Amino acid sequence: MTTFDYDLFVIGGGSGGVRAARIASGEHGAKVAMAEEFRMGGTCVIRGCVPKKLMVFAAGHGAAIDDAAAYGWQVEKGRFDWSKFRAMMDAELNRLESIYTRNAEAAGVTIYHQRATVADPHTVRLADGREVTARHILIATGGTPFVPDAYADTGAMTSNEIFLMDQMPGSMLVIGGGFIACEMAGIMQGLGAQVTLMYRGAQILRGFDDDLQEHVAAALVSQGLNLEVNTDLTKLERLEDGRFRATCTQGRVREYDSVLFATGRRANTDGLGLAEAGVTLGKGGEVVVDAYSQTNIPSIFAVGDVTDRIQLTPVAIREGHAFADTVFGGTPVKPDHTMVASAVFTRPEAGTVGLTEEQASAEGPVEIYMASFNPMQSSFIKAESKALMKLVVCAETRRVKGCHIVAPGAGELIQLAGVALKMGATKDDFDATTAVHPTMSEELVLLRTPTRSVAKTG
């Protein structure tokens, strides 16, 4: 019988990899090692969800000060101190990183703080030259943002570097239209920068529900952000003073203090040795896996963003846990990728779960229940901050197939809506639920008349 150094070797110390390692070692008794070349915690903790959300909080306080004044408070609004905020954010990330490391080690995981690559289906090569063997190898290296090749040498930022800025820019150009682009554009606008969001498509947040897209776009514009759709960058120059000169497809030439590319993420597989080991990769470099996160090489598995299934931290965690239970717990578990709720942390936030109107109508006829209104909190002070509540309902079964919310706290609201939709709630269940008054969310159970009916389009 072949003897290995470890039962499991995990490459990548992010959320999915750490969960898999902890469960395999702490609950199932496997001998586990992990390698992380940067910082424990991965994208979410170090350069994604956590620092982003802290910046969302910071950006929201500017508008809150204005609202407080409108409510009668005597306030004096100063400028945002980036250096003070960044020091606090760095300290928090250091704290969280140490917790990730401590929890993994407490579960019995050996951590190598260096890069690791795959030498063969059972061998991992460390950056210091050592090779270790493992019965199973788990790839959990996540995704990485990028600057398009044409602009790679200009010094433009990605979402990795924005948390490391030395100072707040006075102006910023954000390229992209996905949730990262929209969030970062809104954050920087809220912190005091003049922001242009440039997207080559017809509308931001492609893939989200159409009404949600329109609502978020209008909110960004109302906050002073310059939104330019059907527009792309054609030239970007770095000036002697460190600023940027950008030329777009509309012929406009403008200068900005900084430029952020948020044009997508790539699977972080370059140089890992996967193809050489025989692992099948997709056209974007993603690791191709089956329903149990196993590659075509039986000993090699992958979870999280590196597989390009659903790029969300909680999904990676579920996949990592399911992998550990399947391989080491004796209980085959397929991670469930249906009815996954998510949020876009613009101002106001957007939350979504289930199918869009377009997706649902492709399956059969649907009824749309929707309300757009100015919540009490903002209408009282004559501020324009509309909320959106939308339910997509199967016309035949009455099952709610999609819920889409744009409102303050939508990220919190959609979590609870996700529970209802996951359980198969019908529109009649929503109707039978007593409203909580006065709240915004009561609109979800007070939508009695369809806004429109849509015939099957597929």
Side-chain angles (χ1 to χ4, degrees):
M1 181 176 179
T2 304
T3 301
F4 297 99
D5 297 320
Y6 297 99
D7 298 313
L8 171 65
F9 197 103
V10 181
I11 301 179
S15 298
V18 169
R19 175 58 67 91
R22 288 177 59 191
I23 298 302
S25 179
E27 293 193 11
H28 300 313
K31 186 178 181 182
V32 180
M34 166 181 289
E36 170 54 55
E37 66 178 318
F38 183 51
R39 297 178 65 180
M40 289 290 290
T43 296
C44 180
V45 174
I46 304 301
R47 50 190 179 271
C49 317
V50 173
K52 180 263 309 271
K53 192 65 180 291
L54 294 175
M55 289 179 70
V56 168
F57 292 146
H61 284 299
I65 292 172
D66 294 335
D67 288 349
Y71 265 91
W73 286 93
Q74 295 183 9
V75 295
E76 182 177 347
K77 186 176 181 179
R79 296 182 61 186
F80 176 68
D81 187 341
W82 168 258
S83 61
K84 178 180 179 180
F85 170 79
R86 183 183 163 184
M88 295 171 61
M89 179 173 65
D90 288 346
E92 176 65 4
L93 300 188
N94 290 339
R95 185 184 73 85
L96 294 175
E97 180 185 11
S98 68
I99 290 174
Y100 262 67
T101 301
R102 186 166 62 248
N103 287 347
E105 291 176 337
V109 179
T110 299
I111 301 176
Y112 295 93
H113 295 278
Q114 57 182 295
R115 181 173 174 80
T117 57
V118 176
D120 65 44
H122 291 287
T123 306
V124 171
R125 182 177 295 117
L126 298 170
D128 63 13
R130 286 179 291 171
E131 290 189 349
V132 296
T133 59
R135 186 176 302 278
H136 302 283
I137 297 172
L138 177 66
I139 308 301
T141 49
T144 184
F146 64 94
V147 174
D149 292 341
Y151 310 113
D153 297 327
T154 60
M157 293 187 295
T158 69
S159 56
N160 281 355
E161 294 81 40
I162 195 167
F163 306 112
L164 305 176
M165 295 186 302
D166 291 326
Q167 60 185 14
M168 270 291 297
S171 60
M172 174 178 280
L173 172 64
V174 179
I175 310 294
F179 76 91
I180 294 176
C182 293
E183 288 176 340
M184 289 303 175
I187 286 168
M188 297 305 292
Q189 182 77 25
L191 295 179
Q194 293 297 313
V195 178
T196 294
L197 178 59
M198 184 183 294
Y199 179 50
R200 65 184 181 182
Q203 186 55 282
I204 58 173
L205 296 176
R206 181 172 62 90
F208 287 77
D209 186 84
D210 288 352
D211 288 306
L212 183 148
Q213 292 177 0
E214 296 289 342
H215 209 91
V216 172
L220 291 173
V221 171
S222 71
Q223 293 159 17
L225 186 141
N226 179 30
L227 175 60
E228 299 179 353
V229 295
N230 293 314
T231 307
D232 203 359
L233 194 65
T234 59
K235 187 177 182 180
L236 184 65
E237 306 167 84
R238 191 69 182 268
L239 305 177
E240 291 185 1
D241 62 1
R243 302 178 77 240
F244 296 84
R245 178 181 293 128
T247 305
C248 71
T249 51
Q250 306 299 326
R252 293 185 287 266
V253 180
R254 290 161 293 184
E255 295 182 1
Y256 302 91
D257 291 339
S258 61
V259 175
L260 170 70
F261 278 91
T263 47
R265 295 174 64 84
R266 295 170 174 164
N268 190 17
T269 54
D270 288 352
L272 281 182
L274 292 171
E276 293 79 0
V279 175
T280 300
L281 302 178
K283 62 181 181 179
E286 71 275 12
V287 182
V288 178
V289 295
D290 65 12
Y292 294 96
S293 298
Q294 188 175 37
T295 72
N296 61 302
I297 303 299
S299 60
I300 300 179
F301 294 72
V303 298
D305 291 3
V306 75
T307 66
D308 196 24
R309 286 177 281 185
I310 298 179
Q311 295 189 15
L312 293 170
T313 295
V315 174
I317 291 172
R318 287 275 181 132
E319 291 171 355
H321 200 134
F323 155 79
D325 286 344
T326 298
V327 175
F328 298 102
T331 306
V333 179
K334 295 180 182 179
D336 187 355
H337 295 100
T338 61
M339 284 295 177
V340 175
S342 63
V344 182
F345 292 101
T346 47
R347 295 194 328 277
E349 298 171 4
T352 182
V353 63
L355 302 182
T356 67
E357 178 179 334
E358 182 180 11
Q359 291 168 337
S361 61
E363 296 182 353
V366 295
E367 292 180 339
I368 304 303
Y369 295 80
M370 187 169 65
S372 178
F373 56 95
N374 203 13
M376 180 189 299
Q377 183 176 348
S378 54
S379 65
F380 178 73
I381 55 175
K382 306 298 188 293
E384 189 67 23
S385 180
K386 283 195 173 182
L388 172 74
M389 303 284 173
K390 178 177 180 178
L391 296 178
V392 180
V393 179
C394 175
E396 297 169 344
T397 66
R398 298 286 288 164
R399 181 170 178 174
V400 181
K401 305 187 77 172
C403 178
H404 311 283
I405 302 172
V406 182
E412 308 292 342
L413 296 175
I414 206 66
Q415 178 68 86
L416 300 179
V419 174
L421 268 64
K422 187 70 174 176
M423 294 176 67
T426 65
K427 182 62 172 65
D428 296 332
D429 293 324
F430 274 69
D431 293 344
T433 303
T434 302
V436 179
H437 181 75
T439 66
M440 290 181 295
S441 57
E442 65 181 308
E443 291 295 328
L444 289 174
V445 299
L446 297 177
L447 296 168
R448 301 295 182 182
T449 305
T451 306
R452 58 181 175 271
S453 297
V454 182
K456 182 178 179 180
T457 58

